[in-house]
Each structure stands twice: as C-alpha cells, then as structure tokens.
C-alpha cells in the first residue's frame, strides 16, 4: 500500500506491505522510502512493514517552521497512532536513528530497536558548525567590501565547507538540518528499555563506530555488530548480511 496520512498537522507519505508484527522503517537525512525497498520486500513475508517519508523528504509535506528531533518524533508518534501500528519494531538509519532513540526512550511498549549507522551523538566538529561560523564572517565581509565582492571571494570555499545534505536542502530544510545536527541525545539513551541492535559500517565517517560504542555503553540492553569494509550505508553495501542479522534479531 502506498498512501498518505496526516501526522503532526502534515501530509506524510507512507508504504505498508505484508502482515504480522509491525516494523517501522525510518530513513536518514536526504533519503525517502525508496532506500528501504529491498529490506521492505525481504521482511514483508513475515511482518507488516511500514516505511515513511519524513516531512520535507520524498512525497511528504515540508514543515512550515523549523523542526527539531522532538517535532519529528511527535510526528512519528502521531503516525503510529493514526495507522494503528502496534508496538512497532523501529529500524532507523542515520537521522531516522535519532527519531528512533528519542521515541523508544519514552515509549516503553516498543520492545525492539535497530539503529543503523545512527546519528544521536553530537559530533565535536561538523561542516555545518563550520559553515555557521563562515556565514557570520560572510555577513561581516559584505558590510566591509560589498555583496558582489564577497560572493566572488567565498564561492570557492562553499562547496568544500558545506555538506552535500546541506547544499541540496531547501531554505527551510537547511535551517532544520542546522538544528537537528546539533542535538545530542546521549542523555535519553539510558532510558531506552527496548532490546537494541546497533549495526555499523566499520568505515563510517559520518557517524563513526566510536558513536556506536558510546550508544552501546549508554543503552542498557544493546549489542553492536560492525560490518567490515562498509561506510555510512552499511545496509545497502551488504544487504544480504544486513537482512540476515535483522531477521535473526526479530525472531530472537
């Protein structure tokens, strides 16, 4: 099923296939339901699998104000309620992991969570943080030498300093990305009661394995599996291994 639901006041696109225990797939920043296509097909034989486009991505409506992880989590909670999903297993990648962390920390009926190359540990240095400082310098330069001269001066640096996610986002989504990337969720991780599986690419530079080890220490019932040779999209780089581990975890 490919349909829409109103959640947290916005029109949200979702796909539901299969029957059985509910599984909810939450994509990363800049992605949409299509990134879960193979996993959803693989799981739908034994589970009712729902994938969504977060607001601002895919076919879903964009937020009308600057949302943080809290608003995206409220939206997901509203979607779960409106779609009558029963204590779904959460599978979150990157940004979807952020939402999974906050949602499961306060919804203890959720029994299982799979965090894949998840965000949630605030990085010490990010391109967005650097670009924010750079933006202030740009404003000061504009006052001194003018807008045209400033644009000519800074253009060579923009492509190297801003992340691809940031460059490709709309004005509203740029502001949202700046907000969510600065949110640290370590304080809620000890409140997660769900059995939590962490799956990581050994060569992930966006959310390094060191983040996974922090999560493993903070989440009471957590275990870590590292995929050799994989990066931030471990579930796409080794899909057969990923699905095998996910299915074993869901059956356990």
């Amino acid at each position: 099923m490919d349909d829409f639901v109103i959640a947290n006041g916005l029109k949200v696109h979702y796909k539901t296939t299969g029957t059985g225990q509910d599984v909810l797939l939450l994509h990363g920043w800049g992605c949409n339901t299509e990134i879960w296509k193979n996993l959803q097909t693989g799981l739908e034989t034994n589970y009712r699998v729902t994938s969504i486009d977060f607001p601002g991505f895919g076919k879903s409506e964009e937020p009308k104000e600057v949302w943080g992880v809290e608003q995206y989590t409220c939206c997901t909670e509203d979607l779960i309620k409106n779609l009558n999903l029963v204590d779904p297993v959460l599978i979150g990648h990157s940004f979807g992991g952020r939402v999974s962390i906050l949602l499961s920390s306060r919804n203890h009926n959720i029994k299982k969570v799979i965090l894949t190359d998840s965000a949630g540990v605030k990085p010490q240095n990010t391109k967005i943080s650097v670009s924010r400082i750079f933006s202030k310098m740009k404003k000061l330069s504009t006052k001194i030498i003018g807008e045209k001269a400033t644009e000519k001066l800074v253009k060579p640096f923009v492509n190297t300093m801003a992340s691809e996610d940031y460059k490709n986002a709309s004005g509203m989504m740029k502001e949202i990305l700046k907000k969510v990337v600065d949110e640290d969720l370590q304080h809620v991780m000890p409140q997660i009661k769900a059995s939590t599986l962490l799956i990581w690419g050994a060569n992930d530079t966006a959310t390094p394995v060191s983040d996974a080890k922090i999560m493993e220490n903070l989440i009471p019932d957590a275990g870590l599996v590292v995929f050799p040779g994989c990066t931030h999209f471990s579930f796409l780089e080794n899909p057969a291994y990923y699905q095998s581990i996910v299915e074993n975890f869901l059956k356990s």
Side-chain angles (χ1 to χ4, degrees), residues 23-177:
V23 175
L24 182 59
L25 307 178
L26 303 174
H27 65 77
W29 194 270
C31 302
N32 55 52
T33 57
E34 287 301 305
I35 204 166
W36 295 117
K37 185 176 181 179
N38 289 339
L39 182 64
Q40 183 154 5
T41 300
L43 294 179
E44 65 187 17
T45 302
N46 298 308
Y47 303 93
R48 182 168 68 158
V49 187
T50 300
S51 57
I52 72 170
D53 288 340
F54 278 124
F57 302 98
K59 300 175 183 177
S60 291
E61 189 178 358
E62 186 175 286
K64 297 175 177 60
E65 56 187 19
V66 180
W67 278 17
V69 179
E70 172 64 29
Q71 287 77 17
Y72 274 100
T73 302
C74 288
C75 180
T76 306
E77 289 171 327
D78 201 23
L79 179 141
I80 289 171
K81 178 181 178 181
N82 292 342
L83 294 182
N84 296 313
L85 304 184
V86 181
D87 305 334
V89 175
L90 304 179
I91 302 181
H93 170 247
S94 196
F95 173 72
R98 286 185 186 273
V99 174
S100 299
I101 289 168
L102 186 55
L103 198 157
S104 60
S105 73
R106 65 195 194 197
N107 291 271
H108 295 161
N109 288 333
I110 293 172
K111 304 303 181 186
K112 291 187 178 182
V113 176
I114 301 175
L115 301 177
T116 306
D117 300 297
S118 175
V121 175
K122 183 178 179 179
Q124 294 300 311
N125 295 292
T126 69
K127 288 183 178 180
I128 289 177
S129 296
V130 173
S131 66
R132 188 174 295 164
I133 297 171
F134 188 67
S135 177
K136 292 180 180 179
M137 293 173 61
K138 182 179 175 182
K139 289 180 181 178
L140 179 61
S141 175
T142 300
K143 290 181 180 179
I144 298 173
I145 64 175
E147 185 175 352
K148 288 186 177 180
T150 296
E151 286 297 327
K152 185 176 181 180
L153 179 67
V154 304
K155 189 174 182 179
F157 299 97
V158 171
N159 288 337
T160 57
M161 295 187 75
S163 70
E164 286 301 315
D165 284 340
Y166 186 76
K167 286 187 290 182
N168 293 332
S170 69
M172 174 61 75
M173 298 309 291
K174 278 185 171 70
E175 293 305 310
I176 291 175
L177 179 57

Side-chain angles (χ1 to χ4, degrees), residues 195-222:
S195 181
T196 303
L197 175 62
L198 308 168
I199 302 179
W200 240 260
N203 301 329
D204 189 342
T205 56
T207 54
V209 175
S210 57
D211 288 3
K213 292 180 178 178
I214 290 172
M215 293 182 190
E216 186 180 23
N217 288 330
L218 290 175
I219 299 172
D221 183 13

